[in-house]
Coordinates of all heavy atoms in Angstrom, one line a residue:
M12 N 0.9 -1.2 0.0 CA 0.0 0.0 0.0 C 0.9 1.3 0.0 O 1.8 1.4 0.7 CB -0.9 0.0 1.2 CG -2.0 -1.0 1.1 SD -3.1 -0.7 -0.2 CE -4.2 -2.1 -0.2
N13 N 0.5 2.2 -0.8 CA 1.4 3.4 -0.9 C 0.5 4.6 -1.1 O 0.9 5.5 -1.8 CB 2.3 3.2 -2.1 CG 3.4 4.2 -2.0 OD1 3.7 4.7 -1.0 ND2 4.0 4.6 -3.1
Q14 N -0.6 4.7 -0.5 CA -1.4 5.9 -0.6 C -0.9 7.0 0.4 O -0.6 6.7 1.5 CB -2.9 5.6 -0.3 CG -3.5 4.7 -1.3 CD -3.5 3.3 -0.8 OE1 -3.7 3.1 0.4 NE2 -3.3 2.3 -1.7
T15 N -0.9 8.2 -0.1 CA -0.5 9.3 0.7 C -1.8 9.9 1.3 O -2.6 10.4 0.6 CB 0.2 10.4 -0.1 OG1 1.3 9.8 -0.7 CG2 0.7 11.4 0.9
P16 N -1.9 9.8 2.7 CA -3.0 10.4 3.3 C -3.0 12.0 3.1 O -2.0 12.6 3.4 CB -2.9 10.1 4.7 CG -1.8 9.1 4.9 CD -1.0 9.3 3.6
Q17 N -4.1 12.5 2.5 CA -4.1 13.9 2.3 C -4.9 14.7 3.4 O -4.4 15.6 3.9 CB -4.7 14.2 0.9 CG -3.8 13.7 -0.2 CD -4.4 13.7 -1.6 OE1 -5.6 13.8 -1.7 NE2 -3.6 13.6 -2.6
R18 N -6.1 14.2 3.5 CA -6.8 14.8 4.7 C -7.6 13.7 5.3 O -7.9 12.7 4.7 CB -7.7 15.9 4.2 CG -8.7 15.4 3.1 CD -9.4 16.5 2.5 NE -10.0 15.9 1.3 CZ -11.1 16.4 0.7 NH1 -11.6 17.5 1.1 NH2 -11.5 15.8 -0.4
P19 N -7.9 13.9 6.6 CA -8.6 12.8 7.3 C -10.0 12.6 6.6 O -10.7 13.5 6.5 CB -8.8 13.3 8.7 CG -8.3 14.7 8.7 CD -7.6 15.0 7.4
P20 N -10.3 11.3 6.3 CA -11.7 11.1 5.8 C -12.7 11.3 6.9 O -12.4 11.1 8.0 CB -11.6 9.6 5.4 CG -10.5 9.0 6.2 CD -9.5 10.1 6.5
E21 N -13.9 11.6 6.5 CA -14.9 11.9 7.4 C -15.6 10.5 7.8 O -16.6 10.2 7.3 CB -15.9 12.9 6.9 CG -15.3 14.2 6.8 CD -16.2 15.2 6.2 OE1 -17.5 15.0 6.2 OE2 -15.8 16.3 5.7
L22 N -15.0 9.8 8.7 CA -15.4 8.5 9.1 C -16.1 8.4 10.4 O -16.6 7.4 10.8 CB -14.2 7.5 9.2 CG -13.7 7.2 7.8 CD1 -12.5 6.2 8.0 CD2 -14.7 6.6 6.9
L23 N -16.2 9.6 11.0 CA -16.8 9.6 12.4 C -18.3 9.6 12.4 O -19.0 10.5 12.7 CB -16.3 10.8 13.2 CG -14.8 10.7 13.6 CD1 -14.4 11.8 14.4 CD2 -14.6 9.4 14.4
S24 N -18.8 8.4 11.9 CA -20.3 8.2 11.9 C -20.6 8.0 13.4 O -19.8 7.8 14.3 CB -20.7 7.0 11.2 OG -20.1 5.9 11.8
E25 N -21.9 8.0 13.7 CA -22.4 7.8 15.0 C -21.8 6.5 15.6 O -21.4 6.4 16.7 CB -23.9 7.8 15.1 CG -24.5 9.0 15.6 CD -26.0 8.9 15.6 OE1 -26.5 7.9 16.2 OE2 -26.7 9.8 15.0
A26 N -21.9 5.5 14.7 CA -21.4 4.2 15.1 C -19.9 4.2 15.5 O -19.5 3.6 16.5 CB -21.7 3.2 14.0
S27 N -19.1 4.9 14.7 CA -17.7 5.0 15.0 C -17.4 5.7 16.4 O -16.7 5.2 17.1 CB -17.0 5.8 13.9 OG -17.2 5.2 12.7
V28 N -18.2 6.7 16.6 CA -18.0 7.5 17.8 C -18.4 6.6 19.0 O -17.7 6.5 20.0 CB -18.8 8.8 17.8 CG1 -18.8 9.4 19.2 CG2 -18.3 9.7 16.8
D29 N -19.5 5.9 18.8 CA -20.0 5.0 19.8 C -19.0 3.9 20.2 O -18.7 3.6 21.3 CB -21.3 4.4 19.3 CG -22.0 3.7 20.5 OD1 -22.0 4.2 21.6 OD2 -22.6 2.6 20.3
A30 N -18.3 3.4 19.1 CA -17.4 2.3 19.3 C -16.2 2.9 20.0 O -15.6 2.2 20.8 CB -16.9 1.8 17.9
L31 N -15.8 4.1 19.7 CA -14.6 4.7 20.4 C -14.9 4.9 21.9 O -14.0 4.8 22.7 CB -14.3 6.1 19.8 CG -13.6 6.0 18.4 CD1 -13.6 7.4 17.8 CD2 -12.2 5.4 18.5
L32 N -16.1 5.1 22.2 CA -16.4 5.4 23.6 C -16.6 4.1 24.4 O -16.7 4.1 25.6 CB -17.7 6.2 23.7 CG -17.6 7.6 23.1 CD1 -18.9 8.3 23.2 CD2 -16.5 8.4 23.9
R33 N -16.7 3.0 23.7 CA -16.9 1.7 24.4 C -15.5 1.0 24.7 O -14.5 1.5 24.3 CB -17.8 0.8 23.6 CG -19.3 1.1 23.9 CD -20.2 0.2 23.1 NE -20.1 0.6 21.7 CZ -20.3 -0.2 20.7 NH1 -20.6 -1.5 20.9 NH2 -20.3 0.2 19.4
D34 N -15.7 -0.1 25.2 CA -14.5 -1.0 25.5 C -13.7 -1.2 24.2 O -14.3 -1.5 23.1 CB -15.1 -2.4 26.0 CG -13.9 -3.3 26.2 OD1 -12.8 -2.9 26.2 OD2 -14.2 -4.5 26.5
T35 N -12.4 -1.0 24.2 CA -11.7 -1.1 23.0 C -10.9 -2.4 22.9 O -10.0 -2.5 22.1 CB -10.7 0.1 22.9 OG1 -9.9 0.1 24.1 CG2 -11.4 1.4 22.8
T36 N -11.3 -3.4 23.7 CA -10.7 -4.7 23.5 C -10.8 -5.2 22.1 O -11.9 -5.3 21.6 CB -11.4 -5.7 24.5 OG1 -11.3 -5.2 25.8 CG2 -10.7 -7.0 24.4
P37 N -9.6 -5.5 21.5 CA -9.7 -6.0 20.1 C -10.4 -7.3 20.1 O -10.0 -8.2 20.8 CB -8.2 -6.1 19.7 CG -7.5 -5.4 20.8 CD -8.3 -5.3 22.0
W38 N -11.4 -7.4 19.2 CA -12.1 -8.7 19.1 C -11.5 -9.5 18.0 O -11.8 -10.7 17.8 CB -13.6 -8.4 18.7 CG -14.3 -7.9 19.9 CD1 -13.8 -7.6 21.1 CD2 -15.8 -7.8 20.0 NE1 -14.8 -7.2 22.0 CE2 -16.1 -7.3 21.3 CE3 -16.8 -8.0 19.1 CZ2 -17.3 -7.1 21.8 CZ3 -18.1 -7.8 19.6 CH2 -18.4 -7.4 20.9
L39 N -10.7 -8.9 17.1 CA -10.2 -9.5 16.0 C -8.7 -9.5 16.0 O -8.1 -8.5 16.6 CB -10.6 -8.9 14.6 CG -12.1 -8.8 14.3 CD1 -12.3 -8.0 13.1 CD2 -12.7 -10.2 14.1
S40 N -8.0 -10.4 15.5 CA -6.6 -10.3 15.3 C -6.4 -9.4 14.1 O -7.3 -9.1 13.3 CB -5.9 -11.7 15.0 OG -6.3 -12.1 13.7
C41 N -5.2 -8.8 14.0 CA -4.9 -8.0 12.8 C -5.1 -8.7 11.5 O -5.6 -8.2 10.5 CB -3.4 -7.4 12.9 SG -3.3 -6.2 14.1
E42 N -4.8 -10.0 11.5 CA -5.0 -10.8 10.3 C -6.4 -10.9 9.9 O -6.8 -10.7 8.8 CB -4.5 -12.3 10.6 CG -3.2 -12.5 9.8 CD -2.7 -14.0 10.1 OE1 -3.5 -14.9 9.8 OE2 -1.6 -14.1 10.6
E43 N -7.3 -11.2 10.9 CA -8.7 -11.3 10.6 C -9.2 -9.9 10.2 O -10.1 -9.8 9.3 CB -9.5 -11.7 11.9 CG -9.2 -13.2 12.2 CD -9.7 -13.5 13.6 OE1 -9.6 -12.6 14.6 OE2 -10.2 -14.6 13.8
C44 N -8.7 -8.9 10.8 CA -9.1 -7.5 10.5 C -8.8 -7.2 9.0 O -9.6 -6.7 8.2 CB -8.3 -6.6 11.4 SG -8.7 -4.8 11.1
F45 N -7.6 -7.6 8.6 CA -7.2 -7.4 7.2 C -8.1 -8.2 6.2 O -8.4 -7.7 5.1 CB -5.7 -7.7 7.0 CG -4.8 -6.5 7.2 CD1 -4.5 -6.1 8.4 CD2 -4.3 -5.9 6.0 CE1 -3.7 -4.9 8.6 CE2 -3.5 -4.8 6.2 CZ -3.2 -4.3 7.4
E46 N -8.4 -9.4 6.6 CA -9.2 -10.2 5.7 C -10.7 -9.5 5.5 O -11.3 -9.7 4.5 CB -9.5 -11.5 6.4 CG -8.3 -12.5 6.2 CD -8.5 -13.8 7.0 OE1 -9.6 -14.0 7.5 OE2 -7.5 -14.5 7.1
R47 N -11.1 -8.8 6.5 CA -12.5 -8.2 6.4 C -12.4 -6.7 6.0 O -13.5 -6.1 5.8 CB -13.1 -8.3 7.8 CG -13.3 -9.7 8.3 CD -13.6 -9.7 9.7 NE -14.9 -9.2 10.1 CZ -15.6 -9.7 11.2 NH1 -15.1 -10.6 11.9 NH2 -16.7 -9.2 11.4
M48 N -11.2 -6.3 5.8 CA -11.1 -4.8 5.6 C -11.7 -4.3 4.3 O -12.4 -3.3 4.3 CB -9.6 -4.4 5.6 CG -9.5 -2.9 5.9 SD -7.8 -2.5 6.2 CE -7.6 -3.0 7.9
D49 N -11.6 -5.1 3.3 CA -12.2 -4.7 2.0 C -13.7 -4.5 2.1 O -14.3 -3.5 1.7 CB -12.0 -5.7 0.9 CG -10.5 -5.6 0.3 OD1 -9.9 -4.7 0.7 OD2 -10.2 -6.5 -0.5
A50 N -14.4 -5.5 2.7 CA -15.8 -5.4 2.9 C -16.2 -4.3 3.8 O -17.2 -3.6 3.6 CB -16.3 -6.8 3.4
Y51 N -15.4 -4.2 4.8 CA -15.7 -3.1 5.8 C -15.6 -1.7 5.1 O -16.4 -0.9 5.3 CB -14.6 -3.2 6.9 CG -14.8 -2.1 8.0 CD1 -15.8 -2.2 9.0 CD2 -14.0 -1.0 8.0 CE1 -16.0 -1.2 9.9 CE2 -14.1 0.0 8.9 CZ -15.1 -0.1 9.9 OH -15.3 0.9 10.8
A52 N -14.5 -1.5 4.4 CA -14.3 -0.2 3.7 C -15.4 0.1 2.7 O -15.9 1.2 2.7 CB -13.0 -0.1 3.0
E53 N -15.8 -1.0 2.0 CA -16.9 -0.8 1.1 C -18.2 -0.4 1.9 O -19.0 0.5 1.4 CB -17.2 -2.1 0.3 CG -16.4 -2.2 -1.0 CD -16.6 -3.5 -1.7 OE1 -17.7 -4.0 -1.6 OE2 -15.7 -4.0 -2.2
A54 N -18.4 -1.0 3.0 CA -19.6 -0.7 3.7 C -19.6 0.7 4.2 O -20.6 1.5 4.2 CB -19.7 -1.7 4.9
V55 N -18.4 1.2 4.6 CA -18.2 2.6 5.1 C -18.5 3.5 4.0 O -19.3 4.5 4.1 CB -16.8 2.8 5.6 CG1 -16.6 4.2 5.9 CG2 -16.6 2.0 6.9
V56 N -18.0 3.2 2.8 CA -18.1 4.2 1.7 C -19.6 4.1 1.2 O -20.1 5.2 0.8 CB -17.2 3.7 0.5 CG1 -17.5 4.5 -0.7 CG2 -15.7 4.0 0.9
L57 N -20.2 3.0 1.2 CA -21.6 2.8 0.6 C -22.7 3.3 1.6 O -23.8 3.3 1.2 CB -21.8 1.4 0.2 CG -21.0 0.9 -1.0 CD1 -21.3 -0.5 -1.3 CD2 -21.2 1.8 -2.2
G58 N -22.3 3.6 2.8 CA -23.4 4.1 3.6 C -23.3 3.7 5.1 O -24.2 4.0 5.9
G59 N -22.2 3.1 5.5 CA -21.9 3.0 6.9 C -22.8 2.2 7.8 O -22.7 1.0 7.9
G60 N -23.6 3.0 8.6 CA -24.3 2.4 9.7 C -24.9 1.1 9.5 O -24.8 0.3 10.3
A61 N -25.7 0.9 8.4 CA -26.4 -0.4 8.3 C -25.5 -1.5 8.2 O -25.8 -2.6 8.7 CB -27.2 -0.3 7.0
A62 N -24.3 -1.4 7.6 CA -23.4 -2.5 7.5 C -22.3 -2.4 8.6 O -21.3 -3.0 8.4 CB -22.7 -2.4 6.1
H63 N -22.6 -1.7 9.7 CA -21.6 -1.5 10.7 C -21.1 -2.9 11.2 O -21.9 -3.7 11.6 CB -22.2 -0.7 11.8 CG -21.2 -0.4 12.9 ND1 -20.0 0.2 12.7 CD2 -21.2 -0.7 14.2 CE1 -19.4 0.3 13.8 NE2 -20.1 -0.2 14.8
D64 N -19.8 -3.0 11.3 CA -19.2 -4.2 11.8 C -18.6 -3.9 13.2 O -17.5 -3.3 13.2 CB -18.2 -4.7 10.8 CG -17.6 -6.1 11.2 OD1 -17.5 -6.4 12.4 OD2 -17.2 -6.8 10.3
E65 N -19.2 -4.3 14.2 CA -18.8 -3.9 15.5 C -17.4 -4.4 15.9 O -16.6 -3.8 16.5 CB -19.9 -4.4 16.6 CG -19.5 -3.9 17.9 CD -20.6 -4.2 19.0 OE1 -21.4 -5.1 18.7 OE2 -20.5 -3.6 20.0
A66 N -17.2 -5.7 15.5 CA -15.9 -6.3 15.8 C -14.8 -5.6 15.1 O -13.7 -5.2 15.7 CB -15.9 -7.8 15.4
M67 N -15.0 -5.2 13.9 CA -14.0 -4.4 13.1 C -13.9 -3.1 13.8 O -12.8 -2.6 13.9 CB -14.5 -4.2 11.6 CG -14.2 -5.4 10.8 SD -12.4 -5.5 10.4 CE -12.2 -4.1 9.3
A68 N -15.0 -2.4 14.1 CA -14.9 -1.1 14.6 C -14.1 -1.1 16.0 O -13.3 -0.2 16.2 CB -16.3 -0.5 14.9
R69 N -14.3 -2.1 16.7 CA -13.6 -2.2 18.0 C -12.1 -2.4 17.7 O -11.3 -1.8 18.5 CB -14.2 -3.3 18.8 CG -15.5 -3.0 19.3 CD -15.8 -3.8 20.6 NE -17.2 -3.5 21.0 CZ -17.6 -3.7 22.3 NH1 -16.8 -4.2 23.2 NH2 -18.8 -3.5 22.6
H70 N -11.8 -3.3 16.8 CA -10.4 -3.5 16.5 C -9.7 -2.2 16.0 O -8.6 -1.9 16.5 CB -10.2 -4.7 15.5 CG -8.8 -4.9 15.3 ND1 -8.1 -5.8 16.0 CD2 -7.9 -4.4 14.4 CE1 -6.8 -5.9 15.6 NE2 -6.7 -5.0 14.6
L71 N -10.4 -1.6 15.1 CA -9.8 -0.4 14.5 C -9.6 0.7 15.6 O -8.7 1.5 15.5 CB -10.7 0.2 13.4 CG -10.8 -0.8 12.2 CD1 -11.7 -0.2 11.1 CD2 -9.4 -1.1 11.6
S72 N -10.6 0.8 16.5 CA -10.5 1.8 17.6 C -9.3 1.5 18.5 O -8.9 2.4 19.2 CB -11.8 1.9 18.3 OG -12.0 0.8 19.1
A73 N -8.9 0.3 18.5 CA -7.8 -0.1 19.4 C -6.4 -0.3 18.7 O -5.4 -0.5 19.3 CB -8.2 -1.4 20.2
C74 N -6.5 -0.3 17.4 CA -5.3 -0.7 16.6 C -5.0 0.4 15.5 O -5.6 0.4 14.5 CB -5.5 -2.0 16.0 SG -4.0 -2.6 15.0
P75 N -4.2 1.3 15.9 CA -3.9 2.4 14.9 C -3.4 1.9 13.6 O -3.7 2.6 12.6 CB -2.8 3.3 15.7 CG -2.9 2.9 17.1 CD -3.4 1.5 17.1
A76 N -2.6 0.9 13.6 CA -2.1 0.4 12.3 C -3.2 0.0 11.3 O -3.2 0.4 10.2 CB -1.1 -0.8 12.5
C77 N -4.1 -0.8 11.9 CA -5.3 -1.2 11.0 C -6.2 -0.1 10.7 O -6.7 0.0 9.6 CB -6.1 -2.3 11.7 SG -5.1 -3.9 11.8
D78 N -6.4 0.8 11.7 CA -7.2 2.0 11.5 C -6.7 2.8 10.3 O -7.4 3.3 9.4 CB -7.2 2.8 12.8 CG -8.2 3.9 12.7 OD1 -9.4 3.7 12.3 OD2 -7.8 5.1 12.9
E79 N -5.4 3.0 10.3 CA -4.8 3.8 9.2 C -5.0 3.1 7.9 O -5.3 3.7 6.8 CB -3.3 4.0 9.5 CG -2.7 5.1 8.7 CD -1.2 5.3 9.0 OE1 -0.9 5.2 10.2 OE2 -0.4 5.4 8.1
E80 N -4.8 1.8 7.9 CA -5.0 1.0 6.7 C -6.4 1.1 6.2 O -6.7 1.3 5.0 CB -4.6 -0.5 7.0 CG -4.6 -1.4 5.7 CD -3.5 -1.0 4.7 OE1 -2.5 -0.4 5.2 OE2 -3.7 -1.2 3.5
A81 N -7.4 1.0 7.1 CA -8.8 1.1 6.7 C -9.1 2.5 6.1 O -9.8 2.6 5.2 CB -9.6 0.8 7.9
R82 N -8.6 3.5 6.7 CA -8.8 4.8 6.3 C -8.3 5.0 4.9 O -8.9 5.6 4.0 CB -8.2 5.9 7.2 CG -9.0 6.1 8.5 CD -8.2 6.8 9.5 NE -8.9 6.9 10.8 CZ -9.7 7.8 11.1 NH1 -10.0 8.9 10.4 NH2 -10.3 7.8 12.3
S83 N -7.1 4.5 4.6 CA -6.4 4.6 3.3 C -7.3 3.9 2.3 O -7.5 4.4 1.2 CB -5.1 4.0 3.3 OG -4.2 4.6 4.1
L84 N -7.8 2.7 2.7 CA -8.7 2.0 1.7 C -10.0 2.7 1.4 O -10.4 2.8 0.3 CB -8.9 0.6 2.4 CG -9.5 -0.5 1.4 CD1 -8.6 -0.7 0.3 CD2 -9.7 -1.8 2.2
V85 N -10.5 3.3 2.4 CA -11.8 4.1 2.2 C -11.5 5.3 1.3 O -12.3 5.5 0.4 CB -12.4 4.5 3.6 CG1 -13.4 5.6 3.4 CG2 -12.9 3.4 4.4
E86 N -10.4 5.9 1.5 CA -10.0 7.1 0.7 C -9.9 6.6 -0.8 O -10.3 7.3 -1.7 CB -8.7 7.7 1.1 CG -8.9 8.6 2.3 CD -7.6 9.4 2.6 OE1 -6.6 9.1 1.9 OE2 -7.7 10.3 3.4
L87 N -9.3 5.5 -0.9 CA -9.1 4.9 -2.3 C -10.4 4.6 -2.9 O -10.6 5.0 -4.1 CB -8.2 3.6 -2.1 CG -7.6 3.1 -3.4 CD1 -6.5 4.0 -3.8 CD2 -7.1 1.7 -3.1
L88 N -11.3 4.0 -2.2 CA -12.7 3.7 -2.7 C -13.4 5.0 -3.0 O -14.1 5.0 -4.1 CB -13.4 2.8 -1.7 CG -12.9 1.4 -1.6 CD1 -13.7 0.7 -0.5 CD2 -13.0 0.6 -2.8
Q89 N -13.3 5.9 -2.1 CA -14.0 7.2 -2.4 C -13.5 7.9 -3.6 O -14.2 8.6 -4.3 CB -13.9 8.1 -1.1 CG -14.8 7.5 0.0 CD -14.7 8.3 1.3 OE1 -13.6 8.9 1.5 NE2 -15.7 8.3 2.1
A90 N -12.2 7.8 -3.8 CA -11.5 8.5 -4.9 C -11.9 7.8 -6.2 O -12.0 8.4 -7.3 CB -10.0 8.5 -4.7
G91 N -12.1 6.5 -6.2 CA -12.4 5.8 -7.4 C -13.8 5.8 -7.7 O -14.3 5.4 -8.7
Ligands
LIG102 ZN1 -4.8 -4.5 13.9

């Protein structure tokens, strides 16, 4: 991956904020997180809330590396 983050994507849906305020115990390993990241990013881009993945959200809120990867992916999808 080699995307340059330009500006923070507007990902702070209600669900994201809610997840941030809750227990941040990672429910997924980073590997599991990466496996689901494509679908997760698509759900975020296509309308978020309805397809909210709580386990993913919790992992991302607790894992800056995956969070950054997810944001990059979302930016990529939004740009395309
Ligand atoms: Zn992770």
Side-chain angles (χ1 to χ4, degrees):
M12 287 297 175
N13 194 25
Q14 293 98 35
T15 305
Q17 291 171 344
R18 58 189 164 157
E21 293 177 19
L22 288 182
L23 287 181
S24 65
E25 258 181 52
S27 304
V28 173
D29 193 40
L31 285 171
L32 295 177
R33 275 180 288 153
D34 181 10
T35 55
T36 303
W38 285 10
L39 301 171
S40 69
C41 287
E42 250 178 60
E43 289 168 325
C44 181
F45 267 78
E46 282 173 11
R47 298 164 71 149
M48 198 169 280
D49 280 355
Y51 177 79
E53 269 177 37
V55 170
V56 171
L57 293 178
H63 181 61
D64 186 331
E65 186 174 15
M67 278 290 288
R69 289 207 185 199
H70 182 89
L71 295 180
S72 72
C74 181
C77 289
D78 186 53
E79 199 179 315
E80 186 66 27
R82 284 168 188 266
S83 296
L84 196 56
V85 167
E86 280 190 353
L87 195 70
L88 289 174
Q89 284 174 334

